[in-house]
Amino acid sequence: MPTVVITGCNRGIGLEFARQYAQGGWRVIAAVRDAARAPQALTGLPGITVESLDVSDPAAIRAFGQRLAGQPVDLLIHNAGTYGGDRTAQEFGSVDAAAWLDTFRINTIAPLLLTEALAPCLDAAPAAKVAILTSQMGSIADNTSGGAVIYRSSKAAVNMVGKTLGLDLVARGISVVLLHPGWVKTDMGGPNALITTEESVTGLRQVIDGLSIETTGRFFDYSGKEIPW
């Protein structure tokens, strides 16, 4: 039975990842900020182990890695993320510097630190994979409208993290992919979004399934379309 570790599983895309992988026969380690407050929609799934993890806290990340020591991890999905506070605090002239730093801790730094913490677990699995949920809004080439500087910059930065991990982990046989989930009907995406979490995750899983060392370090959307940096 393969094992997947997924962050940010309390709702939205993370919860749907947990549901689909559990349904597919995987052992799912679902990380949420507070396991005691995890929703029944998550805890009631078969094959689920819910773990507490505050990805903004480097000490908590290290402790999480220590708790999983000795367990092979076939797939690590960095799903936890934040938009970065009030949208009005992301526009020129009103950027909230404290919110910007907090967003980088969660969206950009945490995926690197958690991959480092779980590297021995990934090494213990054959052909392990790392998937980082990013956004097309992190594409510099695609930015034609401006605004949302906190969110955009945190995702552009994690794209560089993922590209670098793709190169750094080749020798260990671990492949890495950066994923844009689409405009999804979640708390962040809002009710006017174009696709459901089920549609997004179904597509993302297909992209992950096709990931290999030959395609490591690249940026795709949920349909498998490659996105420019």
Side-chain angles (χ1 to χ4, degrees), residues 90-127:
Q90 302 214 24
E91 305 304 315
F92 182 77
S94 61
V95 172
D96 184 331
W100 200 349
L101 290 171
D102 287 341
T103 302
F104 260 74
R105 290 187 186 97
I106 294 168
N107 289 359
T108 310
I109 299 172
L112 176 61
L113 296 184
L114 185 56
T115 302
E116 289 179 339
L118 294 183
C121 299
L122 294 165
D123 286 336

Side-chain angles (χ1 to χ4, degrees), residues 121-179:
C121 299
L122 294 165
D123 286 336
K129 300 177 181 182
V130 176
I132 300 172
L133 270 289
T134 177
S135 172
Q136 190 166 333
M137 289 181 70
S139 167
I140 293 172
D142 188 68
N143 185 0
T144 59
S145 61
V149 67
I150 291 176
Y151 185 70
R152 286 185 186 278
S153 61
S154 72
K155 292 302 188 179
V158 83
N159 287 350
M160 179 59 80
V161 168
K163 174 65 175 178
T164 301
L165 282 174
L167 296 169
D168 290 345
L169 299 179
V170 164
R172 303 171 82 141
I174 301 169
S175 51
V176 180
V177 67
L178 292 140
L179 297 170

Side-chain angles (χ1 to χ4, degrees), residues 5 8 19 39 41 46-47 75 82 106 114 125 134 138 157 160 166 176 180 187-189 199 203-204 209 218-219:
V5 173
R19 188 190 70 79
L75 173 60
T82 180
I106 294 168
L114 185 56
T134 177
M160 179 59 80
V176 180
H180 169 55
D187 288 350
M188 187 185 295
E199 290 170 317
L204 293 172
D209 286 347
R218 291 163 66 181
F219 184 12

Side-chain angles (χ1 to χ4, degrees), residues 6 9 14-23 28 30 42 45 48:
I6 309 166
C9 287
L15 177 58
E16 182 62 20
F17 263 126
R19 188 190 70 79
Q20 289 198 22
Y21 276 108
Q23 190 176 56
V28 177
L42 177 64
L45 293 171
I48 293 278

